[in-house]
Amino acid sequence: MSEPKSLVLVTVDCLRADHTGFMGYTQPTTPFLDQLAAESMVFPKAIAAGAPTYYSFPGILAARFPLALGREVVGIAPGEPTLATVLQQAGYRTAAYVAANPYLSNRFGYAQGFEVFRDFLSEELPYAGEAIPRVRTRLNQRIAELAHKVSVLGRLYDDLYFEYCQKMTASKSESWDSLRRFPAADFLVDQACDWLGSLGRQPFFLWLHFMDPHAPYYPPAEALKAMGSERILPERGRYLNAAWNRADLGVERLRKYRDEIVRLHDSGIRWVDTQLARLVEVLRNLSLWDSSVLVLTADHGEEFLDHGGRFHAPSQPYQEMLHVPLLMRVPGVKKVALSDAPFSHVHLAPTALEAIGIEPPQEFEGHSYWAEAQRGGDWELAVSESIGGCTNPMDAGKRMGARVLVAQDRRHKLVLDFDREQEELFDLESDPREVRALRPEEEKLARARLLRWALQHLHRPTRGFNRELALRARVREVGLEWKNSEMYSKTLAS
Amino acid sequence: MNMGNDINSARELRLPGHLCEAAEQLIKGTRFKTVEELLSFVLQELTSRNSAQSEAEERKVIEERLRDLGYL
């Protein structure tokens, strides 16, 4: 192996593959990354190991399937090998700047292996956040109850009350920056550049996780302008986000907000792209660029009513959620066209490690496809999994729900939802948007092949190593779950 | 505090003295009166949930589907 290179891992929250220019999007979200893609390995079909964030990241950083340690465990187990721990042990300097995503915090084990880990969850930041009072008076509650006895009146009441709340909480002095709930990409890149500037010639691992395309969608004004969406003003942005978040609206009524919401989301992507250009410029100026591998991907995508949903629910494992961009820029390596078969995120860490000259640990579930990537070789299929009903992993009860298991090869995709007792098989060639599940009698061979693969996934042996990691993680969670536990209630009641 | 344990089936465990002393400090001012109560709580939490059953059921569902299709 040649001399170790440094590694920059960029993960973007909620970035679906088809919203990047280098994957065919027609909006100018990623002009810089499109240029970079021209000299990078671009994986045509990178697939998240799970969604959302808490089911995706064990695949990215620890090269294992999200439920491999049992559904009791969320995050990285204490002592589990990750990109960061492996590289720290190899003598790398390590730092992570994570844009205030609570599921990527130290409490879920993500700080392991990083000498600098900033998640910005409890710090003073140059953004204010937003607090909208949502308390209804007793009179209002009574009117709501009466109105909802007649469905048309209930709907009218909800609309009027929503408009009333928007008017009452609107402020003329609102700006995009004051509305934003997490640090924007420029803030993270500033921090990362300061750290890069402090390094000597030691190889380093830098992980940046951006939240700019994540809801609520409040991009910087500069990004909106770059996207030609500057006519959307902050007060409209706030209204749109509030409306998009309404639980009482059906798909048809939400549809009227969709285009503007997508514009806000896309502007968030554009801001990440702009800041990555700046990061690379700094790497060049520090003479680090020619010895650095840059990997860019997303933890999962985002739904804009594609299958009737919004945001990124674990019960919606369609391609807008699982198909993510993945590019790997490796200096000195000739660009080749990569296989268009699904490439699972669980193979990303070992492949990236081999690309920088570090041997991946045996404990990883995924394995390196570095050799195949260099010669344009093939890989076969991808499995993704999550707990469909787990929208809040802090709630231990929800974590124990039924699995949603997805197996896909180049052409077919099987979705097994054990909660809804539903099985869907799609032909992605003739139906890339997954609009029509095949009838049970269609494509029996493909169905059986993917069912077998799903079974093999569930039958893979639980290693002693995994059992120990699971136990360590559960010991950690005894403390975390204290307030939600049944025993806690019993303890207080006794 | 009653931890719901059947005292007749209780077993003795041996722990390092310094760990017991540290645990005694830890439970001061809490509703845990003894180190045994603390340990019982922690172990109940650790053993109260287990996904093995769900996984076995999910495997069974897939096996049945493969059998339906005539491939198993």
Side-chain angles (χ1 to χ4, degrees):
Chain A
M1 285 188 178
S2 58
E3 190 184 333
K5 296 183 175 76
S6 294
L7 178 61
V8 179
L9 172 66
V10 176
T11 52
V12 187
D13 219 298
C14 303
L15 176 57
R16 45 196 275 181
D18 62 1
H19 276 236
T20 60
F22 60 94
M23 294 296 290
Y25 198 37
T26 52
Q27 296 297 317
T29 46
T30 52
F32 170 73
L33 288 172
D34 298 345
Q35 279 177 23
L36 192 65
E39 56 177 277
S40 304
M41 293 177 169
V42 178
F43 292 72
K45 201 192 265 186
I47 300 295
T53 301
Y54 39 92
Y55 290 130
S56 170
F57 262 96
I60 297 174
L61 287 184
R64 74 156 159 83
F65 290 100
L67 306 180
L69 303 184
R71 59 198 78 190
E72 301 90 340
V73 175
V74 167
I76 305 293
E80 180 168 16
T82 65
L83 270 178
T85 63
V86 169
L87 290 173
Q88 189 174 50
Q89 279 161 19
Y92 278 55
R93 305 289 304 276
T94 56
Y97 299 93
V98 178
N101 187 322
Y103 302 126
L104 299 179
S105 56
N106 186 29
R107 69 187 303 197
F108 289 113
Y110 285 95
Q112 294 175 80
F114 289 106
E115 63 180 89
V116 175
F117 184 85
R118 302 282 306 278
D119 59 19
F120 308 106
L121 285 168
S122 56
E123 298 173 46
E124 284 292 317
L125 289 166
Y127 66 96
E130 176 196 22
I132 301 174
R134 295 185 189 276
V135 182
R136 292 188 188 205
T137 62
R138 269 192 203 161
L139 177 62
N140 252 327
Q141 279 172 7
R142 185 73 189 126
I143 295 170
E145 281 164 18
L146 287 172
H148 276 275
K149 288 187 174 168
V150 182
S151 64
V152 181
L153 275 182
R155 191 169 133 174
L156 182 66
Y157 171 83
D158 288 342
D159 286 348
L160 285 172
Y161 187 74
F162 175 76
E163 298 298 337
Y164 164 78
C165 286
Q166 296 312 303
K167 281 210 163 45
M168 290 302 287
T169 53
S171 159
K172 291 253 186 281
S173 60
E174 270 169 356
S175 70
W176 293 107
D177 293 341
S178 69
L179 288 165
R180 196 168 308 119
R181 306 272 181 90
F182 26 71
D186 54 315
F187 181 77
L188 261 68
V189 167
D190 283 348
Q191 305 261 328
C193 289
D194 286 348
W195 182 75
L196 288 168
S198 73
L199 297 175
R201 300 306 303 172
Q202 241 176 307
F204 65 87
F205 171 46
L206 171 65
W207 171 34
L208 288 163
H209 182 72
F210 296 112
M211 291 281 281
D212 301 67
H214 193 288
Y217 312 105
Y218 293 124
E222 197 180 323
L224 279 158
K225 194 173 175 195
M227 291 296 294
S229 299
E230 65 270 32
R231 275 181 297 178
I232 307 177
L233 299 175
E235 46 273 34
R236 176 67 180 163
R238 187 152 80 81
Y239 182 92
L240 285 168
N241 274 291
W244 191 247
N245 201 29
R246 281 180 68 176
D248 59 313
L249 296 190
V251 174
E252 286 316 310
R253 295 189 67 204
L254 283 167
R255 209 174 290 284
K256 66 179 174 182
Y257 305 116
R258 185 188 176 280
D259 288 353
E260 283 178 290
I261 282 289
V262 170
R263 280 175 172 271
L264 296 179
H265 168 80
D266 283 351
S267 299
I269 302 170
R270 177 64 181 254
W271 192 239
V272 171
D273 185 81
T274 306
Q275 298 309 313
L276 285 176
R278 196 160 66 84
L279 176 74
V280 169
E281 191 56 34
V282 168
L283 286 165
R284 281 203 176 97
N285 292 340
L286 293 169
S287 304
L288 297 171
W289 183 235
D290 290 338
S291 57
S292 298
V293 168
L294 185 141
V295 175
L296 175 128
T297 192
D299 54 352
H300 53 78
E302 186 80 334
E303 192 179 352
F304 298 104
L305 307 178
D306 307 64
H307 287 86
R310 292 160 282 174
F311 313 117
H312 38 266
S315 57
Q316 299 276 90
Y318 300 102
Q319 294 303 73
E320 60 268 18
M321 198 72 66
L322 296 180
H323 185 194
V324 288
L326 173 57
L327 69 79
M328 192 181 285
R329 180 265 181 190
V330 185
V333 171
K334 199 178 157 199
K335 181 183 167 78
V336 292
L338 298 184
S339 165
D340 62 354
F343 180 85
S344 170
H345 260 167
V346 296
H347 304 310
L348 174 56
T351 304
L353 281 175
E354 212 182 332
I356 59 171
I358 301 286
E359 196 171 336
Q362 288 182 344
E363 292 90 344
F364 278 178
E365 276 199 290
H367 58 269
S368 172
Y369 278 100
W370 178 233
E372 288 83 350
Q374 286 179 97
R375 63 164 194 268
D378 208 5
W379 33 82
E380 199 177 359
L381 46 73
V383 171
S384 313
E385 61 184 6
S386 62
I387 300 301
C390 183
T391 48
N392 175 14
M394 305 289 201
D395 180 340
K398 286 195 168 177
R399 296 209 301 259
M400 300 305 289
R403 187 189 315 244
V404 176
L405 185 59
V406 179
Q408 59 183 298
D409 60 18
R410 192 179 263 106
R411 179 169 171 185
H412 292 100
K413 175 175 171 182
L414 181 75
V415 179
L416 296 169
D417 186 326
F418 292 95
D419 190 24
R420 298 176 186 157
E421 297 182 5
Q422 183 176 292
E423 176 188 316
E424 291 178 304
L425 180 70
F426 296 99
D427 181 341
L428 296 175
E429 272 180 23
S430 65
D431 178 24
R433 292 178 183 274
E434 300 159 281
V435 176
R436 187 185 77 84
L438 296 173
R439 289 190 299 273
E441 66 274 18
E442 292 178 287
E443 300 284 357
K444 275 189 171 181
L445 274 173
R447 190 183 296 270
R449 187 175 64 247
L450 292 175
L451 276 167
R452 272 210 193 96
W453 194 266
L455 189 60
Q456 194 177 323
H457 176 76
L458 294 184
H459 265 308
R460 70 199 195 287
T462 308
R463 299 167 298 178
F465 171 73
N466 274 7
R467 279 199 289 273
E468 184 186 328
L469 287 181
L471 189 55
R472 287 187 200 183
R474 290 172 67 180
V475 168
R476 176 184 68 198
E477 283 159 19
V478 167
L480 297 182
E481 288 168 7
W482 171 256
K483 289 193 172 172
N484 289 324
S485 77
E486 287 171 28
M487 282 305 299
Y488 181 69
S489 319
K490 285 181 193 162
T491 306
L492 286 182
S494 63
Chain B
M1 183 167 52
N2 177 12
M3 300 297 291
N5 294 323
D6 176 5
I7 200 69
N8 294 324
S9 64
R11 286 162 56 175
E12 276 188 17
L13 296 175
R14 288 164 64 85
L15 296 170
H18 73 275
L19 215 50
C20 290
E21 283 157 26
E24 278 160 4
Q25 290 298 316
L26 206 62
I27 60 177
K28 265 188 187 168
T30 74
R31 293 184 183 219
F32 294 111
K33 297 294 177 224
T34 62
V35 175
E36 283 87 346
E37 284 185 359
L38 173 67
L39 258 185
S40 294
F41 166 77
V42 171
L43 292 175
Q44 282 199 32
E45 282 294 297
L46 281 177
T47 55
S48 63
R49 295 185 193 91
N50 192 331
S51 55
Q53 178 68 26
S54 311
E55 284 171 21
E57 284 165 12
E58 288 164 1
R59 280 197 290 269
K60 205 173 144 196
V61 169
I62 299 179
E63 280 165 358
E64 277 171 14
R65 284 292 296 128
L66 280 165
R67 211 167 283 126
D68 289 347
L69 290 167
Y71 292 102
L72 205 68

